[in-house]
Structure formats: structure tokens, C-alpha cells
């Protein structure tokens, strides 16, 4: 009542009156803002490599790690009270003497010059100015020096003190306060200045940190003023002695000690700040970040999911394998080094989980300007995984896999026979260069080697265009497109989406890989074949743990059967032909990358792909344990004939990456497809 009367008389405009203040100070605790009653954690989330130890980056609005009061050194608790509110344990939220002193000073100056803020009032202010449920203007007003704002602080502080213990208020205060050098909360401050947990702080260390609070940007000894830090430390030590917490002799001894700083910088924040020695991890980090923003479990909108990532204190163990990533980067750079306008984005995926193990490209993940206004080598474009702004690249004949899977799933056997001509006149309308009498009529790249009677085995091995376009005609292009969709191929461009939808009956060229895709999507589609028909959406995490230790299910693969085991085994049998291996039925008789078998030295399957005009060159391959894909491309110039003469290098880059990924893993063979799906003895015309 006394506080209310004083404020009514001296601080509020006359129109408010004492009655309003008295009523306001006795409002229910339940009517306080939610963040004052149950403060959000606002903690840093950490993203690690798959070992759970190697930090990739962190995500935070404020670098903070909440700790319990028991994990804060008692001397630190006492130091902050001495520095900021010596009567903390005596008052009920408001220091009446301080208020009276401030009123006299403020009335004399005509403005607010003294605040008389207790720890509880400071805590209120900190919460309100960071409360994301308030408007920007409301957060700004929480720090404006006005009598009205001071009354609000007093009202809220009084209610908090009636509901919460002093220890709870002190704990909350120490976890929210800014201590300079980017450190929010005492645990982060202790790590930032002394590289130790808050429970291990000594007297001079605690006094220094407590002294910073009044002016954290100026008084901190890292990026502020070292002498001011020493002066503020001495002030806190004298205050502790004056409160008889320590002796004057102990205070003098502590003053004589050097600061003994052992700074640890705040962890990197977001993907553009991944450590320089692992800058190539930035593209994987970006892929993870995109994935997080699509997960409804983390919020109703992408903006809310972003906020929760930066404030939720999650511990995220990613699927990134540093060893495989190193190999993938080495192989990508061997084809095109940094500074080359061309690139080889390369991805590695684990069959049966969809987990993305590596993402490599010859670019720096950086917002830094590029020399001569070129679009490289610095970029944050998602060349490996694609995004809303980057659809990917044509992957050529690797798309024949989807027609083969659809045909097998439709009941066509591997022995399906067709006498492949060059060109093949189809029923589809012509819309490009391959037109005969108004009809789409693709040729074979090497008629002398490709034309003639072909089955799925040698049609795939020799990459016979007209065989696969004919087969697509037999089953219907819609089935091939549906199969590609089912195992993760996305149609990101408006044209591809239209051709995959209302204009699907015009898309005879689909099987030749004219749609744009990414190495991640392509590798994961082939991983589905390796997993014998189990499709697992691409997943960049192993586990996600909340700040209170709960494990979330979003780290678990969500797989579903896309086609039967026998269909997958049959497609794999044919996919051994391109890379120089023999099918279970001995039907391989030529391949487009027949040296790859010797490089791997174990059962492997795959497919090469060259786009129209050689603008890209792709290769996708898999074993039972690993799948990888890469595309050579000039991402900024689709008319650059990148594919000329680079196919062997692309194939080796993928194969060598797989060799390293499979080192120390057992050799596993593929399973034999059934005689029925092979169709031997009853070839189909």
C-alpha cells in the first residue's frame, strides 16, 4: 500500500490516482504475462556430426545454456546480489528505500535518472524485452525509462515475489541476464570468459562477471574495456566485504589477482558460420536447416519452427559422416577445383534409412562477395540438395531406372524384348529437336552398338534410348513418372510440374532424364532399389534430443514399401550391366561404365546419364550398404557442354567415394530375382 501511495503521488500522472495503483499491485499471479509465469527456455541448439561430438554449428538468437541454481557456484550467486541488489533477501520485490531515493532524484531533474531496480525488477524487464509473444513496440517499451514502465515492473515484481522463492527468482535472473561478449546467462558467460562451467567459478572470476551486468558492452574485458572490468570487479569485491560475505583481506587478495581470462568464443551461429576448416559442411547444414523448417512437429509454420530451433536448446546429431564427406569433397574437387565455373555436386545416402551421409561441391558456403562479380566460388545456393530456388539438373539416362521399375512393377519381365531402331517414331507429339512428321522420335547415341534386339538387361547396360522410350510407351508414361515420385524425385520447376501433371501425355522424353533433379534425390531414389523397395525420405539427422533430455521421433527414418523385393532385385540385376558386372542370369553384354566394377571390387550396380547437348553428365551407383550420385554441370550456364569428355571422371569420383565409404564394411551380395520376373524362356515382344 505504501509503495502504491508513493508511486501515485510522485511517479504517475495525476489522472491515474492511488486507487488504480493499489489495485494493480494486488493483481493475481495468474494474470501475469505467460513468459513471466513460465519462462521459455531460449537456449542454444547444437548440430553435431554423426559421431555426436564434432560440432557443425549452433542455432541461437542469444548464446545461452540454462542451468539449475545448484550448478552455479555459491560465490557467483552472492556476487550478483552484492553487485546489483544488496537487499535482495530482505525486500518483497521492491526496495522501498531505493524507490524513495530515486523519486527525489527524478523529481529534482524532471526526468528518470535513477531506476531503483531490484533483481526481481531487472528480471521482469529482461523477460519483457525478449518476449516474442509481444509486439516489437511492446518489447521496446519494456526498456523505456518512464514512470509508467517502472510501475509495470513494480507490479509484476511484487506478484512474482509472492509466488516464487528468492532462489527461483535468482536462478531465473542468472539464466536470462546478458553478461557481454555475446554471452547470455551465467553458464555461457562462464564458458565465454573462463572456459569452465558456472559451478567452478572462483571469487575473483565471479566478481568480475557480476560487475559486467551494469554495462556489459563497455565493462567486459574481451571486446570492452579491460581496466573498467577490473574496476567493476573491485567494486563487487568491496560490496561482498561490506555485506560480510567475505573479509576485507580476502577482497584485497582477490583484487590483486590478474583477470586470468581463458576466453572461449561463442559457438558458430547458423550455417554461414560453420568453422572455416569445415566450410564444405555448410551445404549439408543448409540442407538440414531446410528439412527442419518442413517438420510440423516443431511448429505450425516455418517461421515458428525457425524460432523454436533458435530457442529450443535441442541437441541434434546429424547424419553427416565427416570421413565420407572428406572423400566426397576430395573427389568432387579432383574433377573441378575451387574457382572453376563448372562443378560436381555429389551426394551419398544410406539405403534403408535415407540418411544423407555426405554432400560435396566445389563451392564455399559463404555470403562473401566473389571476385570480378562472378557467381562463384562463394555461394549459399543449394547445389547438392536443391531448394525452392534451385531445381537441380537434368540427369540423363539415370531416369531409365524409373521406367524399368514401373515396367517390372506392371508385370513386364526383364526379358522383355524389343528390336530397337534409331530413331523410334512414337505416338507423342514432337516438341523439340527429335521430331519426325510431327511426332517425337528419339535416336540412339551409338546406333551401331545400341540398335537391335534388346532386353532390359542389355537395354540398360548399353543405355539404348529407343528401347526405354518404347517400353515407356507400352506401360504409359504416367506409370514411370508416378514411380519416380514415389521414391523421392521432385519436380521443382513449373514446366516439370506441368509435364508431370496435366501434360503428362506429352512427356515421352521423361525416361531420358529431361526433368531436373538433384544428387541427393537421385542417390536416395537409387538407395530405394538398394534397400529392395523400401523408400525412406532423405533424412539429415540421427537423433534429436530436447533440452530436458527427451528423444524425439523425428530422428527416426519413416520408410515405406514402394515396390516389391522382387522388382528391386530384378532392377538391380539389370543395373549391374552398365558398370561391368554380370547379372545372376548371365545376360549382361556391354556397359557404359564397365571399369567401375574393378574400382569397387564388390557387387555394385549403377547407371550413367548424359543430358541432351551434353550440358550435364551424371552417374548414380549403389551397393546394399551405400548409394551415391553426382552430376557434372555449370550451374550458372545451362548451355555449357560440360558432359564432353568428363564422364569417366564423374564415374570415378562417385566410385572412389563409395570405396572409402565402404572401407571396413563387409562385402555383401545382391539377392537373386525370381525366375518369373526374369521371364527367361518366355520373352515378351
Amino acid at each position: 500500500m505504501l509503495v502504491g501511495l508513493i508511486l501515485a503521488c510522485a511517479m504517475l500522472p495525476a489522472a491515474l490516482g492511488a486507487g488504480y495503483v493499489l489495485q494493480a499491485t494486488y493483481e493475481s499471479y495468474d494474470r501475469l504475462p505467460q513468459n513471466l509465469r513460465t519462462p521459455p527456455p531460449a537456449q542454444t541448439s547444437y548440430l553435431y556430426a554423426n559421431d555426436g561430438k564434432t560440432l557443425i554449428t549452433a542455432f541461437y538468437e542469444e548464446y545461452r545454456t540454462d542451468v539449475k541454481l545448484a550448478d552455479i557456484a555459491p560465490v557467483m550467486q552472492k556476487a550478483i546480489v552484492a553487485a546489483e541488489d544488496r537487499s535482495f533477501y530482505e525486500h518483497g520485490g521492491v526496495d522501498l528505500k531505493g524507490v524513495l531515493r530515486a523519486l527525489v532524484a527524478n523529481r529534482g531533474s524532471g526526468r528518470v535518472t535513477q531506476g531503483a531496480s531490484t533483481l526481481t525488477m531487472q528480471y521482469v524487464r529482461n523477460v519483457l524485452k525478449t518476449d516474442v509473444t509481444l509486439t516489437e513496440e511492446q518489447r521496446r517499451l519494456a526498456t523505456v525509462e518512464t514512470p509508467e514502465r517502472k510501475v509495470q515492473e513494480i507490479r509484476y515484481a511484487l506478484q512474482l515475489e509472492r509466488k516464487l522463492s528468492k532462489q527461483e527468482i535468482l536462478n531465473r535472473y542468472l539464466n536470462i541476464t546478458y553478461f557481454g561478449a555475446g554471452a547470455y546467462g551465467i553458464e555461457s558467460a562462464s564458458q565465454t570468459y573462463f572456459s569452465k562451467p558456472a559451478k567452478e567459478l572462483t571469487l575473483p572470476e565471479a566478481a568480475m562477471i557480476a560487475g559486467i551486468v551494469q554495462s556489459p558492452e563497455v565493462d567486459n574485458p574481451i571486446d570492452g574495456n579491460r581496466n573498467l572490468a577490473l574496476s567493476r570487479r573491485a567494486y563487487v569485491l568491496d560490496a561482498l566485504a561490506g555485506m560480510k560475505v567475505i573479509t576485507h583481506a580476502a577482497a584485497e587478495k582477490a583484487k590483486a589477482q590478474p583477470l586470468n581470462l581463458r576466453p572461449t568464443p561463442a559457438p558458430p551461429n547458423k550455417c554461414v558460420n560453420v568453422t572455416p576448416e569445415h566450410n564444405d559442411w555448410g551445404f549439408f547444414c543448409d540442407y538440414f536447416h531446410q528439412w527442419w523448417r518442413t517438420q510440423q512437429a516443431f511448429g505450425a509454420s516455418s517461421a515458428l519452427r525457425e524460432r523454436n530451433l533458435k530457442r529450443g536448446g535441442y541437441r541434434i546429431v546429424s547424419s553427416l559422416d565427416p570421413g565420407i564427406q572428406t572423400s566426397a569433397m576430395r573427389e568432387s574437387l579432383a574433377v573441378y577445383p575451387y574457382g572453376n565455373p563448372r562443378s560436381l555436386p555429389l551426394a551419398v545416402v544410406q539405403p534403408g534409412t535415407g540418411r544423407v551421409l555426405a554432400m560435396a561441391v566445389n563451392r564455399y558456403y559463404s555470403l562473401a562477395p566473389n571476385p570480378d562479380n562472378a557467381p562463384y566460388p562463394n555461394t549459399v545456393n543449394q547445389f547438392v540438395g536443391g531448394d525452392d530456388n534451385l531445381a537441380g539438373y537434368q540427369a540423363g539416362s539415370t531416369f531409365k531406372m524409373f521406367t524399368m521399375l514401373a515396367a517390372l512393377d506392371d508385370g513386364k519381365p526383364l526379358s522383355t524384348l524389343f528390336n530397337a531402331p534409331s530413331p523410334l517414331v512414337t505416338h507423342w507429339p514432337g516438341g523439340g529437336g527429335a521430331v519426325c512428321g510431327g511426332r517425337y522420335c528419339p535416336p540412339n547415341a551409338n546406333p551401331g552398338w545400341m540398335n537391335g534386339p534388346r532386353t532390359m538387361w542389355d537395354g540398360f547396360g548399353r543405355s539404348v534410348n529407343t528401347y526405354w522410350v518404347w517400353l515407356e510407351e507400352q506401360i504409359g508414361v504416367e506409370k514411370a513418372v508416378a514411380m519416380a515420385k514415389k521414391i523421392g524425385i521432385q519436380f521443382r520447376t513449373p514446366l516439370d510440374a506441368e509435364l508431370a501433371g496435366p501434360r503428362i501425355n506429352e512427356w515421352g522424353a521423361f525416361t531420358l532424364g529431361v526433368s531436373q533433379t538433384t544428387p541427393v534425390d537421385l542417390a536416395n531414389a537409387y538407395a530405394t532399389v538398394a534397400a529392395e523397395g523400401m523408400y525412406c525420405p532423405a533424412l539429415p539427422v540421427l537423433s534429436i534430443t530436447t533440452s530436458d533430455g527427451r528423444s524425439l521421433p523425428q530422428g527416426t527414418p519413416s520408410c515405406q514399401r514402394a515396390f516389391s523385393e522382387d522388382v528391386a532385385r530384378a532392377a538391380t540385376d539389370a543395373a549391374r550391366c552398365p558398370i561391368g558386372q554380370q547379372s545372376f542370369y548371365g545376360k549382361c553384354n556391354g556397359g557404359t561404365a564397365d571399369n567401375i566394377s574393378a574400382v569397387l571390387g564388390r557387387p555394385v550396380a549403377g547407371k550413367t546419364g548424359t543430358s541432351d547437348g551434353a550440358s550435364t553428365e551424371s552417374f548414380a551407383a549403389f551397393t546394399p550398404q551405400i548409394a551415391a550420385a553426382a552430376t557434372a554441370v555449370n550451374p550458372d550456364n545451362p548451355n555449357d557442354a560440360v558432359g564432353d569428355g568428363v564422364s569417366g571422371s564423374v564415374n570415378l569420383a562417385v566410385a572412389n567415394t563409395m570405396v572409402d565409404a565402404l572401407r571396413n564394411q563387409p562385402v555383401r551380395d545382391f539377392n537373386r530375382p525370381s525366375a518369373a520376373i526374369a521371364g527367361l524362356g518366355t520373352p515378351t515382344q
Side-chain angles (χ1 to χ4, degrees):
M1 290 178 63
L2 183 57
V3 169
L5 288 170
I6 292 172
L7 289 171
C9 296
M11 296 185 70
L12 289 176
L16 290 178
Y20 166 79
V21 180
L22 287 171
Q23 181 181 8
T25 58
Y26 283 96
E27 287 178 348
S28 168
Y29 175 84
D30 294 333
R31 294 181 62 184
L32 292 179
Q34 177 63 32
N35 280 2
L36 281 174
R37 288 181 280 126
T38 309
Q43 297 189 61
T44 302
S45 294
Y46 293 92
L47 178 67
Y48 296 92
N50 68 349
D51 60 4
K53 300 177 182 177
T54 305
L55 182 67
I56 296 175
T57 194
F59 296 90
Y60 54 90
E61 293 175 350
E62 301 170 349
Y63 171 41
R64 182 197 319 280
T65 301
D66 281 7
V67 290
K68 298 176 181 177
L69 196 63
D71 291 323
I72 302 172
V75 70
M76 183 67 236
Q77 300 175 36
K78 295 171 183 175
I80 200 68
V81 170
E84 296 296 311
D85 186 2
R86 299 184 197 182
S87 61
F88 174 66
Y89 291 103
E90 284 76 48
H91 63 64
V94 178
D95 179 1
L96 187 55
K97 291 181 180 179
V99 170
L100 292 171
R101 184 175 61 251
L103 287 176
V104 173
N106 295 339
R107 285 179 66 83
S109 65
R111 58 188 178 90
V112 176
T113 59
Q114 292 187 26
S117 292
T118 63
L119 279 182
T120 312
M121 292 165 65
Q122 289 183 45
Y123 169 71
V124 167
R125 189 183 317 152
N126 274 313
V127 171
L128 294 179
K129 74 180 182 182
T130 59
D131 187 347
V132 295
T133 66
L134 300 178
T135 67
E136 184 175 343
E137 177 64 9
Q138 287 173 319
R139 291 196 296 271
R140 185 189 70 81
L141 290 174
T143 60
V144 173
E145 288 295 341
T146 64
E148 291 82 4
R149 194 269 302 168
K150 184 64 68 176
V151 168
Q152 181 187 60
E153 275 184 18
I154 291 173
R155 288 168 50 203
Y156 291 164
L158 289 171
Q159 297 305 327
L160 284 174
E161 290 268 357
R162 291 193 183 103
K163 186 70 174 183
L164 304 178
S165 70
K166 289 289 186 179
Q167 296 300 86
E168 174 64 18
I169 292 170
L170 181 60
N171 189 211
R172 290 187 181 192
Y173 176 87
L174 284 167
N175 277 319
I176 200 172
T177 298
Y178 181 53
F179 289 96
Y184 290 81
I186 187 57
E187 182 70 11
S188 297
S190 185
Q191 293 289 351
T192 296
Y193 293 111
F194 300 109
S195 299
K196 62 168 60 175
K199 64 183 177 182
E200 296 179 7
L201 287 170
T202 64
L203 171 62
E205 293 167 348
M208 190 214 80
I209 292 176
I212 291 172
V213 172
Q214 190 176 90
S215 185
E217 298 295 357
V218 175
D219 292 345
N220 85 76
I222 291 180
D223 48 25
N225 188 305
R226 195 180 185 93
N227 289 331
L228 288 177
L230 286 167
S231 176
R232 287 294 299 165
R233 185 183 72 170
Y235 167 80
V236 175
L237 289 168
D238 286 339
L240 285 165
M243 294 170 63
K244 302 189 184 311
V245 173
I246 61 174
T247 64
H248 288 286
E252 294 304 315
K253 181 178 179 181
K255 288 181 192 178
Q257 292 188 26
L259 288 176
N260 289 326
L261 295 175
R262 293 179 297 280
T264 296
N269 189 12
K270 301 183 290 190
C271 298
V272 291
N273 293 310
V274 169
T275 54
E277 61 267 28
H278 294 304
N279 175 269
D280 56 293
W281 295 3
F283 292 96
F284 176 90
C285 175
D286 177 82
Y287 186 77
F288 157 78
H289 194 197
Q290 287 185 52
W291 172 85
W292 180 278
R293 289 170 64 92
T294 67
Q295 302 302 300
Q296 294 184 4
F298 302 121
S301 66
S302 60
L304 188 55
R305 294 163 205 154
E306 178 78 9
R307 170 181 171 264
N308 288 337
L309 176 62
K310 292 179 178 178
R311 297 174 62 86
Y314 296 97
R315 185 180 189 276
I316 305 150
V317 179
S318 80
S319 57
L320 179 72
D321 186 306
I324 299 176
Q325 175 68 19
T326 297
S327 298
M329 275 305 300
R330 182 192 65 230
E331 296 301 324
S332 178
L333 292 172
V335 179
Y336 299 120
Y338 287 116
N340 195 312
R342 297 175 173 181
S343 66
L344 186 72
L346 190 160
V348 183
V349 174
Q350 185 179 59
T353 67
R355 287 188 168 117
V356 181
L357 305 179
M359 296 174 64
V361 67
N362 65 329
R363 297 291 192 266
Y364 298 110
Y365 192 83
S366 173
L367 295 170
N370 286 302
D372 303 320
N373 294 317
Y376 57 87
N378 301 312
T379 184
V380 292
N381 291 334
Q382 184 48 265
F383 288 136
V384 194
D387 55 29
D388 291 340
N389 300 312
L390 200 152
Y393 331 98
Q394 292 185 355
S397 293
T398 61
F399 269 45
K400 291 170 181 172
M401 172 63 81
F402 309 131
T403 300
M404 178 161 61
L405 290 168
L408 291 165
D409 197 51
D410 198 46
K412 303 286 186 184
L414 284 168
S415 61
T416 299
L417 186 66
F418 176 63
N419 193 358
S422 182
L424 172 71
V425 180
T426 72
H427 75 279
W428 290 299
V435 181
C436 303
R439 299 291 181 182
Y440 175 57
C441 61
N444 287 324
N446 185 349
W449 188 58
M450 295 176 176
N451 289 9
R454 299 298 170 200
T455 64
M456 291 192 201
W457 282 293
D458 56 357
F460 203 71
R462 298 189 182 208
S463 199
V464 182
N465 287 347
T466 60
Y467 178 88
W468 295 102
V469 173
W470 169 82
L471 188 60
E472 186 181 51
E473 265 192 310
Q474 303 309 300
I475 63 170
V477 64
E478 68 278 0
K479 291 183 179 178
V481 171
M483 179 60 72
K485 286 182 179 178
K486 189 186 293 187
I487 57 177
I489 297 299
Q490 301 180 53
F491 302 104
R492 294 183 176 92
T493 71
L495 177 59
D496 286 348
E498 188 177 353
L499 287 169
R503 293 175 56 191
I504 197 165
N505 289 324
E506 302 174 27
W507 213 5
F510 172 76
T511 193
L512 302 185
V514 295
S515 175
Q516 297 186 57
T517 191
T518 68
V520 169
D521 288 353
L522 189 60
N524 199 35
Y526 273 63
T528 306
V529 185
E532 297 200 322
M534 291 301 295
Y535 168 66
C536 310
L539 183 64
V541 297
L542 291 180
S543 66
I544 303 174
T545 308
T546 63
S547 59
D548 59 1
R550 290 181 296 110
S551 180
L552 300 182
Q554 283 67 38
T556 304
S558 56
C559 305
Q560 59 188 14
R561 181 155 296 283
F563 42 83
S564 71
E565 293 179 347
D566 211 22
V567 165
R569 292 169 182 177
T572 300
D573 208 47
R576 299 181 75 172
C577 299
I579 48 76
Q581 291 195 351
Q582 189 52 263
S583 73
F584 280 108
Y585 293 95
K587 297 298 181 179
C588 294
N589 61 8
T592 55
D594 54 12
N595 64 317
I596 297 303
S597 176
V599 175
L600 268 294
R602 63 171 69 210
V604 62
K607 185 72 185 75
T608 57
T610 304
S611 63
D612 199 26
S615 62
T616 66
E617 187 69 36
S618 299
F619 183 52
F622 62 91
T623 70
Q625 302 107 310
I626 210 82
T631 297
V633 65
N634 185 332
D636 301 300
N637 182 6
N639 298 316
D640 186 359
V642 171
D644 290 339
V646 79
S647 60
S649 299
V650 174
N651 301 345
L652 282 175
V654 172
N656 289 335
T657 300
M658 293 176 69
V659 167
D660 287 348
L662 291 163
R663 188 166 285 117
N664 300 322
Q665 291 200 38
V667 174
R668 288 177 52 191
D669 202 353
F670 298 114
N671 291 313
R672 177 189 293 268
S674 70
I677 203 167
L680 296 180
T682 56
T684 303
Q685 292 292 334

